[in-house]
Structures are given as C-alpha cells and as structure tokens.
Amino acid sequence: MLDKPQSLPEHPNPMSELAKAYEPQAVEEKWYAAWLEAGCFRADENSEKEAYSIVIPPPNVTGILHLGHVLNNAIQDILARRARQEGKEVLWLPGTDHAGIATQAKVERELREKEGKTRRDLGRDEFLKRVWDFKNTHGDIIIKQLKRLGCSCDWSRERFTMDAEYTRWVSQVFVDLFNEGLIYRGKRMVNWCPVSLTALSDEEVIMKASRSKLFTMKYELAESPGEFIHISTTRPETLMGDVAIAVHPKHPKYAQWIGKMVRRPFPEALIPIIGDEMVDLEFGTGALKITPAHDKVDFEIGKKHGLEIIDVLHPDGTINCPALPEFHGLDRFVARRAAAAKLEEMGLLIGIEEYENNVGYSERADVPIEPRISMQWFLRYPEIAKSTDAVASGDIQFRPERWAKTYAHWMENLQDWCISRQLWWGHQIPVWYRKDNFESLKNAESLDTSHTSNKSHPDLYVGVEPPADPENWIRDEDVMDTWFSSWLWPFATMSDVGENSTTLKKFYPTADLVTGPDIIFFWVARMIMAGYRFGGGLPFKNVYFTSIIRDLKGRKMSKSLGNSPDPIDLMDKFGADGLRFGLMRIAPVGADVRFDVATVEEGRNFANKLYNACRFRQMDGNEFAPLPAVKGLPVYHIQVMSKLDQLAEDLNGIYAEYRFGEIAQRLYEFLWNDFCDKWLEAVKADLRESATAEARAAALGTFDAVMSRYLQLLHPYMPHVTEELSERMNYVASGEFVMRKTLPEKPLLAEFSAAETEAAQKQAAAIYETAGRLRNLKAEYNLGSRKDVRFVMKGAVAWLSNELNVLALLAGSTEILVDDSYEAPKGTPAAVTPVGEAYMPMEGLIDVEAERVRISREIEKMRIEVTKSEGKLGTASFVDRAPPEVVAQEKERLEDWKTKLAQLGEMLEALR
RNA sequence: GCGCGCUUAGCUCAGUGGUAGAGCACAUCCUUCACACGGAUGGGGUCGCAGGUUCGAACCCUGCAGCGCGCACCA
C-alpha cells in the first residue's frame, strides 16, 4: 500500500488552500478595492494610445439599481474592459442625473409625511436646501451599487447634472438658443400634470388604452325650439367651457345648421354651430363640442374660427366655474359624473356607452394629463437635417438597425419642445424680467425673439450670470426639463463652457452609447442635435439599444407589481460575476428578455466550474508551468489549444457585431465542454503519480497556456473571478492585474499548419466520440457506473493503440484491447465507432430477449433513414441540380446507414 | 388606422437554404480523491397557420392568426 509518499513535501495538501466552492462575495470586494487603489480605471487624456470612450447614461441620483441598469452597465463595462485589453486608452465617464420631477416628488412626499408640510410652506430656498440634503444623503447609493457590480468607471471624473460647471453649460446653451431665436416663450396648449402641477413634454405623456364612457347628449337649437343637435363626448365636465359646436361641412343633417346658435345647458349660453373638416363624419353623431381650453383639436379649431377660450379647470384638475357653485371646486372625475347626472336631469342625456379610447397619462404621476393652455418656454430644435442624416447615412450606427426607422420618423415629425417646468428642483431658466414691468411681461402673449431680439428688448435680461443690478430684476421662476441638461451629457461632462479641454479633444466623440430604446426621443435624438450644435460634432459612433427586461409572464419590471428582483440580493446570492454572466447569456440582440433567476444561478455555477478547474490544477502546485514545444504534444493538447485559438479569433468578429449573448455562450461552451468535460478528463492520466515527468509537464503547460488566455477572454464578463484566479495561478506578475494585460498577439498554435492542427483535432475528436459510444453501450446495459467493464476493438485504426489508456479513462473502463481476431460471443453488445468496431464482452449476462427487441427497434429506425435517403438520391432533380458536395455527402450518409444496418442484422442473427 | 417586432422542446432562448440545438426542468444511474453550484446516459419538437419560390425551407416571398411595442387630432 505504501508504494508512494503520503504527501509530497513541495505540495503540502495544496487543495486545502481553496474552499470547495467558489465564494464570490469577499473576492469581489477585494478586487474592486485593488483596482481602485491601483488606478486601473483612470483615463489618461494625455495618453498616446488610441482613445475609447463611453459616457454612462446617468441614472437618477436618488435611484436604486434595477436589472435594467445591471444589463446596461454590464455591457458598458464589457466594452470598456475589452477595449483596454485591445490596448486602448479607455474613458468610461460616470455620473448621475438630478431627475427633476422624480427627485422633487420624493422630497415633497417625505416632507408631507414627516412634517405635514408642502414645499410652499418652506419656500423655494429652504426647499432646495432640503433637496440637496436628500441628494447628499441618498445620492451615492446607486454609485455604490454600480461599483458592487464591478463597473470600471473613471470615478475621478464623476459628474452630476447640477454641478456648477454643468449648470453653466445648461444656461449657456439656453442663452445661445434664445439669442438665435430658437427658444421662445408663448401661451400654448401643453400637457399638464395635475398632480406634479407642471407642464410636460409630449414624450412624457404615455398613451394608455382606457375603458371610458361615451356620453351622447343633445343641445337645443335656439331659433327652432324642439330641434336638437346630438353630440358625443367623453368629457361632459368641460361643458362649461364649450364655445361652439362643430360639424363636418358635408354632414347630411347638420350641415344646413351651420351658422345657427344652440343653447348650452349650463351655464346657459348661446353658442354657434360652425363647420370644420377636422370633424370626423363617421365618429359618434358627427358633431363635436368645442372646448378650446381643454382639448388640442378644439384649440386648433377655436383658433381657426376666432373663438373665445374659457378655462374651467384649476391647475390641480378641479373645476373652476364660480358661476356654477355646485361644480366649482369638484375634482374633474367627480364633476364628470355630476355633469352627466345634471344633463340627465335636464332630459338632455341620450345615452352612455362603454368605450375604449386612448388617454394620455403623466409618466411620473401616473394620472391622466390635462391639455391646458399656459405660458411656457419652447425650443425649436437645432440641426435637424444634419442629425436626421447622421443616422440615415450610417455615420451613427444604431444596433439593432431597425431603431433607425423609429428615429427617422420622429425626426421628420418634430414638434417644438416644451422645456419649462413649474418645479423648483432643476436648472432655473436664465431669464430676468425688469421689475417695473414685470406684470405685463409675465403675461405677454409672446416673447418670441425671432421677432424681437434679446438685445433690443430693454425689459428682458437673458444671461448665464445674473444681471449686474439684480435688485431691479425678477427671475423667471420655472426650471428646465431635466432632459434639457441630459442632452449635453457627452460633451458637458468633458469640458467647461467655452473650453476645448484635453479630455474633450482626446475622448470626444465617444465610441459607443449603450441605452434603452425607450429613450430614443428623450435622450438619444436630442444628444445628436446638441452634439452637432454645441459639442463640435456627433456625440457617438454607435448606439447599442439593450433589451427591456420583463418578468416570466412578459410584464415590465415594476415596483408596484413587486416582480422586480433586487440586483443586490442576486449579487449576495450569486455574486456580481454570476449576475453579469447569467444576464448577458440570455440577453438577445434587440428583443425583450424574460428574466429568470435560474439564469443567474447558472452564472454562479459557471464561476464555480471555472474555479474548480483551477483548483484541480493547483493539486500540482501553482507555479506557472511553461508550455513545452507544441510540436509533438498529445493530440488532446493540440485540440484544446486550437479550440481556444478559434474561440479567441471568433470573439473578435462577434464583438465587432455587438452580439454579447453569443460571446457569453461561446465562452461558456469552451470552458465547460471542450476544456472540462473533454480535455481535463483526458489528461487526468498524465497527472497521476505514475505518469512520466514529460507527460505531466506537457499537461500542466497546456493547462496554464490555455487557462491564462481563457481568463483574459472571460475577464470582461466576469472581472472578479478571473482576476482572482489569474493571481492565484500566477498568470500575472505580482502587483499586476489581468485587467491591464493586453490580449496576446499570436495564437498558441501559430507555428502549426492548418493540416497539422486538423489532423490532431480529428484524432482527438474521434477518441471523444468513441468514448461517448462506449459509455452509451454501458448505460444501455445498466452498467453506467461499473468500472470493471472491458472493451475489445476490431478493425481499429492504426494509431489507436497509443490512445487506449485515454480512451479507457474516458469510457470508464478497466481495459480496452485491440484484437482483430476477436470472435464475439453471440449477443455481445457492439457499436460502430470512428476508430473501429467496439465490443463489450458480457460473459453471457445480458438478457437476450431484451437485446433482440432493442436491436429490432434500432433496425426499424435505420430502415426509415435509408428509405428517406434512397428516395432523395433517386430523385433526378436532386442529383442533377444540387451542389455536388451535397450529393456526395448524402451518398456517404446512405453508405453509413447501410453498413450499420448490416451490422445490426448480424447482431440480431447472432442472438438467434 | 399606420409602422415595427415576436411566435422553435414543459420554461428561457440560439439557430440567414443542406441530418432541428443549448441551458434549466424531467427520468435512470453515479456521493470515482476539481466541481452535487458536479458527472454519465436518456426521453421530449408536424419550428404559429396556409400558400408560393427552390432539387431542398425553421430560414426567402405572400397572406392570415395570436402576442407585444411604438406612432396618430377619433371627440
């Protein structure tokens, strides 16, 4: 028993150094700290290296990480880390967004709940102080979470959209566009949120299919009592604001009444019937009540016909109609029922029907918005033509490409952007009104500077700095839409106003933008326009649109549904690497993804597999083993190296196409199938005590050569575990990092000819396949776990004798003999393999009847195949017109089937 | 209404004209000294439906259906 030393002095039980299962938590934290410490993420704007840059889509400063962020930022981190490996100088610029409405709403809610106060109770200055406090307390949560994920951002350059320098940029852009006449103020119909009490842009309104009621009512003609015009509406509560009834000029019944007056029931008034082609003849009764203050179409019609505008709603959505005390102050939805009831009481309500229509909701407050006329600031977009063309021509490449169409459609139908918000948290509009004249300026119908230039308007001051005599001026109270700062992000984060910084010169334009398709309009399109106008050119070259993550039922992740797993919990359980890898592996290009925790578990398992493969290697120590000359190495080594070379080469192409899921899949398959299941099993003999020193050196050398490169390839996806293992296996010099290592220039098998590689590959593949066939034989006879099974090979290929040990090891067999004179006893299980006929002597233990049944079944299957194949080859059109190699392949197949069929027939015969 | 996308194994998804795939789940076996977060073997699919093109279609074309998402001034 004691024929070997109990332990080798140089490797005193090395396995004990590593826990059996990989435990990511401590490892991940350790490496992130080490990278920061060593400045691995810092971008050098003076570097000679080729630049590569990404700006992060800034998350809301008080937000918390969700799976969408994880996917999005994992992709950016992968791109950044890969670019560093390619020898580029990488800037991944991080930061956060002040998120006007969202943040202000949070603070207001807290204020209400804790102190029972509103923001107006505090006043603007005090309230803003509270928001800043809130930001300072909660603002770095998401940043910490991104760090936990392993994001390699240059944190020394972190920006916030409300930083002083950034704010100067926002103001400057406003001033420039104002002076150019592209920004104007005016009374327009805007989307009003009755909860947030602010105007919104069209993009912030979400149309939702809603079940509404369509009320049909009748108005009496003033001149001919007893005659009525019928009108349908979903909004009877705005009836008090009706100023006309519109009908289509070709309406068969009502057209004749155009010009007559009808009686508005309450408050009673006479309003005209007008004719307008915008009225749909088909819809409802073909007559439309016109409430210019509360509907976009009505507003247009009203303007055309010079109608009065009667606003019957307060900003908070309650009725404003002192003439009708019973309605005055009622909520709009309560008033709707009340108005219907009153119409019914007056005998004017004809019917109510259930009706499905689209209602615009406020994105943030999730309540129906109110079309409302109010004084707002608007922007006519700059650089529209150039920006449209940039994407159409491919100067900016969208991936997937189809989003370019969505972009083009939006660009072609641009509406002026309402940029003012009636909030306090944000960039205040840099416009001051002369105090003396404030009231008239405040209500001036238009301050459109395309007609009146700023310079010639003595009562208006527009500037980045406050006026020199502030006591004489009153500043506009509104702030700007958050996106009015976001659209400057790619260059305003890299420079100060008017400055052509070295960072900007080196890193602008950025290479890739990674974001969700839901903000093409909000952000992507506007950044392109701003980039052209203010950044000095296109802001990015590629835009990668990520998948939207849904739950298993296909619903969007949302807090209220509670179907959104907390990424931090997932990282606690499975590690950041596991989460990243799992998510990347299922994220398809362009389509939505249904998230399943199981995929994250897979990612964790994968990290564990990798860890254990290295742990196995460490049984032989962790000194880096140099690779012996590759010529003359066993075919298994050549094969695994060529697979790795192939993987490395293929990844270049797949990265170029941004197919991140496929990269993960390929990395997974190589490690698990090619490396662990096949190669590592095949070389176990070479690592036994009994193996020769040469064999051991070759195996260890191959392991280290392949694994060290593989860890590099995997690093962008699983940065922590690859760093940990590279250190433990001494693949990087002490104090160095795998993340800083550039990819090797030459493949492992650079000195091999294609033919040599192929020959080795074929041999190795033949052995692996044969091993599978032999295991299969064992399993069919329920001997899967038996180690004492022997095989006999007949008609074996010449080289097989050298590989019998490996084959036996892989097949789980004590012995494999090559014996052409072997006469199989009747009923001996047999299989055709790429290296010869294999027999599994059973010494008469098998159930002959069962075996006959099995073989008969297989013969049936195979006959079907043969018939199919013969039929195909008997078709003249196929033989004549298909490519020769396809026909040859088919013939070869048929021969194979026939041979097997004959063998099976013999076996069946033998059993008789 | 217009546009876009999706439909492949029980589930999540690969698969761009040549023998239908992976992971999970399932079944059987294996706690063999890298890994049970593991290994081995296996069962499971008329590729949404109907036409067409082609020697050959999951793949290309047409139509239809179902689902999802954008856009739109249907009160």
Side-chain angles (χ1 to χ4, degrees):
Chain A
M1 274 315 268
L2 291 176
D3 55 350
K4 58 175 182 175
Q6 288 182 313
S7 68
L8 300 167
E10 57 269 42
H11 310 136
N13 196 13
M15 294 264 299
S16 67
E17 291 173 15
L18 288 168
K20 214 172 171 186
Y22 176 58
E23 286 153 10
Q25 287 73 21
V27 170
E28 293 180 347
E29 201 178 327
K30 175 184 78 183
W31 283 108
Y32 201 82
W35 290 323
L36 282 179
E37 169 85 8
C40 290
F41 305 157
R42 208 161 295 155
D44 177 4
E45 68 271 25
N46 298 312
S47 164
E48 297 291 313
K49 294 194 240 171
E50 186 189 339
Y52 176 89
S53 55
I54 311 182
V55 289
I56 203 169
N60 290 1
V61 66
T62 60
I64 49 166
L65 199 71
H66 56 66
L67 282 173
H69 291 122
V70 173
L71 177 62
N72 184 285
N73 288 288
I75 290 173
Q76 293 175 71
D77 196 43
I78 287 164
L79 288 168
R81 288 177 185 271
R82 174 79 180 183
R84 288 190 194 96
Q85 294 184 321
E86 288 168 347
K88 293 175 185 159
E89 185 63 35
V90 171
L91 168 60
W92 181 11
L93 202 158
T96 48
D97 189 290
H98 66 282
I101 299 182
T103 307
Q104 173 164 327
K106 264 187 204 173
V107 177
E108 283 189 285
R109 193 190 320 132
E110 205 181 81
L111 195 62
R112 196 166 55 240
E113 283 167 6
K114 289 196 180 151
E115 303 177 36
K117 288 181 181 167
T118 70
R119 71 180 205 251
R120 289 180 204 286
D121 293 335
L122 294 185
R124 187 164 189 141
D125 289 347
E126 176 58 22
F127 179 76
L128 285 179
K129 206 177 139 275
R130 299 288 186 100
V131 185
W132 276 106
D133 288 348
F134 187 81
K135 182 259 173 190
N136 292 332
T137 323
H138 299 93
D140 60 343
I141 291 177
I142 195 155
I143 297 297
K144 280 192 184 137
Q145 291 176 320
L146 288 172
K147 289 177 176 173
R148 172 84 190 274
L149 190 61
C151 294
S152 59
C153 307
D154 183 352
W155 298 108
S156 70
R157 297 174 192 265
E158 187 183 335
R159 295 287 184 270
F160 176 50
T161 49
M162 296 266 284
D163 286 343
E165 303 78 35
Y166 200 102
T167 299
R168 284 184 61 82
W169 253 119
V170 176
S171 298
Q172 186 64 54
V173 164
F174 184 100
V175 170
D176 287 354
L177 291 171
F178 180 87
N179 287 337
E180 224 179 297
L182 292 176
I183 284 180
Y184 61 90
R185 202 184 75 146
K187 249 190 180 174
R188 299 290 140 95
M189 178 144 288
V190 296
N191 309 294
W192 183 264
C193 175
V195 169
S196 309
L197 298 178
T198 178
L200 301 174
S201 65
D202 295 343
E203 288 70 32
E204 286 163 291
V205 177
I206 298 172
M207 300 306 282
K208 289 192 189 180
S210 311
R211 282 176 54 188
S212 309
K213 288 186 166 57
L214 184 65
F215 301 85
T216 303
M217 56 207 188
K218 55 182 184 181
Y219 284 10
E220 189 172 35
L221 267 67
E223 296 158 42
S224 34
E227 278 210 88
F228 293 91
I229 187 165
H230 293 196
I231 303 144
S232 293
T233 181
T234 51
R235 304 207 57 191
E237 74 276 16
T238 61
L239 188 151
M240 301 79 96
D242 288 1
V243 293
I245 302 299
V247 301
H248 195 279
K250 290 194 180 132
H251 194 285
K253 180 168 176 201
Y254 297 153
Q256 49 168 333
W257 291 344
I258 291 172
K260 301 197 169 179
M261 302 298 274
V262 297
R263 211 174 288 284
R264 186 181 70 191
F266 54 88
E268 203 173 310
L270 291 184
I271 57 176
I273 296 177
I274 59 173
D276 198 293
E277 292 185 351
M278 280 172 91
V279 183
D280 185 350
L281 266 173
E282 307 296 317
F283 188 89
T285 63
L288 174 62
K289 74 188 194 69
I290 302 297
T291 322
H294 300 293
D295 184 280
K296 226 171 162 182
V297 179
D298 293 9
F299 180 72
E300 292 303 318
I301 294 178
K303 211 159 72 177
K304 213 186 317 178
H305 296 266
L307 299 172
E308 189 192 356
I309 295 172
I310 305 174
D311 191 338
V312 296
L313 285 174
H314 289 116
D316 66 356
T318 58
I319 300 292
N320 176 17
C321 186
L324 287 175
E326 53 180 310
F327 286 100
H328 188 66
L330 283 185
D331 178 79
R332 52 189 168 151
F333 301 113
V334 177
R336 181 170 304 171
R337 290 191 295 273
K342 183 160 172 121
L343 282 168
E344 184 159 30
E345 193 186 304
M346 296 170 78
L348 298 176
L349 187 66
I350 296 171
I352 305 173
E353 51 187 302
E354 290 294 325
Y355 173 63
E356 193 151 298
N357 66 343
N358 290 322
V359 175
Y361 276 68
S362 155
E363 190 198 19
R364 289 285 161 197
D366 200 33
V367 293
I369 59 106
E370 203 53 64
R372 181 163 188 259
I373 296 161
S374 67
M375 186 68 82
Q376 302 290 345
W377 289 93
F378 295 89
L379 167 70
R380 281 191 270 273
Y381 287 102
E383 311 288 1
I384 297 171
K386 271 189 194 168
S387 300
T388 308
D389 189 54
V391 174
S393 70
D395 288 348
I396 293 177
Q397 183 98 38
F398 278 12
R399 300 163 197 278
E401 213 172 342
R402 61 188 157 81
W403 292 113
K405 206 167 177 178
T406 305
Y407 171 84
H409 183 256
W410 189 72
M411 291 298 286
E412 281 158 20
N413 295 283
L414 276 181
Q415 304 292 316
D416 288 357
W417 176 10
C418 175
I419 55 170
S420 46
R421 296 289 177 275
Q422 287 64 53
L423 305 172
W424 288 349
W425 176 241
H427 302 100
Q428 197 170 351
I429 301 233
V431 173
W432 284 257
Y433 309 98
R434 192 175 287 285
K435 219 176 214 168
D436 307 339
N437 215 356
F438 180 63
E439 281 309 313
S440 75
L441 286 167
K442 201 174 137 193
N443 298 313
E445 278 296 311
S446 173
L447 290 173
D448 190 338
T449 51
S450 57
H451 310 297
T452 319
S453 116
N454 175 30
K455 291 177 190 102
S456 66
H457 205 305
D459 291 335
L460 210 56
Y461 173 86
V462 180
V464 174
E465 302 297 335
D469 51 342
E471 64 281 4
N472 295 324
W473 299 87
I474 296 176
R475 187 168 185 174
D476 194 299
E477 288 211 336
D478 289 351
V479 299
M480 289 176 239
D481 182 2
T482 300
W483 297 102
F484 194 87
S485 61
S486 311
W487 75 328
L488 316 177
W489 189 250
F491 54 87
T493 48
M494 291 191 193
S495 61
D496 291 341
V497 176
E499 176 211 26
N500 194 3
S501 75
T502 37
T503 298
L504 192 74
K505 267 187 251 171
K506 178 77 184 168
F507 291 110
Y508 188 92
T510 65
D512 296 312
L513 177 75
V514 181
T515 191
D518 48 334
I519 53 175
I520 289 183
F521 311 140
F522 279 116
W523 198 43
V524 179
R526 289 166 178 167
M527 274 194 289
I528 295 173
M529 293 186 265
Y532 257 130
R533 180 67 181 71
F534 299 102
L538 295 174
F540 30 70
K541 299 186 198 90
N542 296 291
V543 185
Y544 181 86
F545 291 108
T546 57
S547 320
I548 289 172
I549 299 184
R550 301 174 176 280
D551 70 4
L552 282 173
K553 291 176 187 160
R555 301 175 303 184
K556 268 191 180 173
M557 298 274 179
S558 81
K559 250 190 237 166
S560 53
L561 282 173
N563 62 349
S564 174
D566 181 355
I568 299 298
D569 287 347
L570 293 172
M571 285 192 265
D572 286 343
K573 272 193 200 127
F574 304 113
D577 288 344
L579 174 60
R580 290 167 62 126
F581 194 85
L583 208 50
M584 292 310 303
R585 204 165 151 229
I586 54 161
V589 181
D592 291 354
V593 59
R594 293 182 184 221
F595 179 78
D596 189 340
V597 185
T599 68
V600 181
E601 203 173 327
E602 272 175 53
R604 185 267 317 257
N605 294 353
F606 181 61
N608 187 57
K609 186 77 179 175
L610 178 69
Y611 169 86
N612 272 295
C614 291
R615 207 166 136 255
F616 174 65
R617 161 68 178 84
Q618 289 198 295
M619 291 198 301
D620 287 280
N622 57 2
E623 262 171 66
F624 186 83
L627 185 64
V630 289
K631 301 268 183 180
L633 285 179
V635 291
Y636 314 100
H637 300 12
I638 304 297
Q639 197 238 15
V640 78
M641 286 193 276
S642 91
K643 287 264 184 186
L644 181 87
D645 284 346
Q646 189 65 50
L647 175 68
E649 192 190 322
D650 290 351
L651 290 193
N652 291 331
I654 313 177
Y655 266 113
E657 292 174 23
Y658 295 77
R659 288 153 63 179
F660 300 104
E662 194 175 336
I663 293 169
Q665 185 62 23
R666 292 291 304 273
L667 287 164
Y668 183 94
E669 282 169 1
F670 173 81
L671 193 269
W672 210 298
N673 303 339
D674 296 322
F675 191 79
C676 290
D677 288 349
K678 296 200 178 81
W679 183 74
L680 215 48
E681 293 302 325
V683 300
K684 276 183 175 171
D686 292 347
L687 296 174
R688 282 183 184 145
E689 302 295 341
S690 56
T692 63
E694 288 78 16
R696 176 184 299 266
L700 294 181
T702 302
F703 187 106
D704 287 346
V706 171
M707 183 56 78
S708 60
R709 285 181 178 223
Y710 178 77
L711 290 175
Q712 274 193 282
L713 294 177
L714 180 62
H715 178 263
Y717 280 71
M718 302 188 115
H720 310 90
V721 69
T722 50
E723 197 71 80
E724 170 76 5
L725 292 173
S726 294
E727 184 201 46
R728 283 185 182 248
M729 311 288 289
N730 286 308
Y731 293 159
V732 290
S734 175
E736 249 318 316
F737 298 90
V738 72
M739 81 159 282
R740 288 216 276 227
K741 238 170 91 178
T742 51
L743 291 167
E745 283 168 22
K746 281 204 301 194
L748 284 166
L749 298 180
E751 53 191 280
F752 268 59
S753 71
E756 284 173 304
T757 311
E758 200 183 327
Q761 275 211 14
K762 267 196 169 162
Q763 270 192 28
I767 292 296
Y768 291 136
E769 190 182 336
T770 303
R773 297 273 169 89
L774 300 185
R775 284 194 301 258
N776 170 303
L777 269 187
K778 284 172 67 181
E780 270 184 60
Y781 293 91
N782 270 329
L783 302 169
S785 48
R786 292 273 284 269
K787 294 300 220 168
D788 54 350
V789 177
R790 297 164 61 244
F791 291 97
V792 181
M793 305 294 301
K794 281 180 81 173
V797 294
W799 52 264
L800 182 62
S801 53
N802 294 326
E803 308 300 340
L804 289 174
N805 286 338
V806 174
L807 186 57
L809 180 69
L810 293 172
S813 155
T814 31
E815 184 185 27
I816 297 178
L817 296 172
V818 173
D819 182 1
D820 283 344
S821 63
Y822 176 70
E823 304 244 353
K826 276 190 175 186
T828 301
V832 179
T833 78
V835 298
E837 295 160 37
Y839 295 88
M840 182 168 70
M842 294 291 291
E843 264 80 68
L845 287 178
I846 60 163
D847 180 341
V848 172
E849 193 47 40
E851 176 63 354
R852 280 175 55 187
V853 171
R854 188 184 69 81
I855 293 178
S856 304
R857 268 207 311 263
E858 233 170 272
I859 286 177
E860 268 321 296
K861 273 193 204 165
M862 204 138 297
R863 277 196 182 134
I864 293 170
E865 294 296 338
V866 168
T867 311
K868 268 162 77 176
S869 186
E870 277 176 344
K872 205 166 174 182
L873 286 165
T875 313
S877 55
F878 174 72
V879 177
D880 296 343
R881 302 175 70 169
E885 65 271 17
V886 173
V887 178
Q889 197 184 326
E890 188 64 36
K891 280 183 180 161
E892 209 174 294
R893 261 179 69 198
L894 180 59
E895 285 314 304
D896 278 356
W897 294 132
K898 280 183 171 169
T899 310
K900 280 176 197 167
L901 201 52
Q903 280 169 350
L904 286 167
E906 278 169 29
M907 284 170 69
L908 195 59
E909 194 59 34
L911 289 173
R912 291 223 160 98

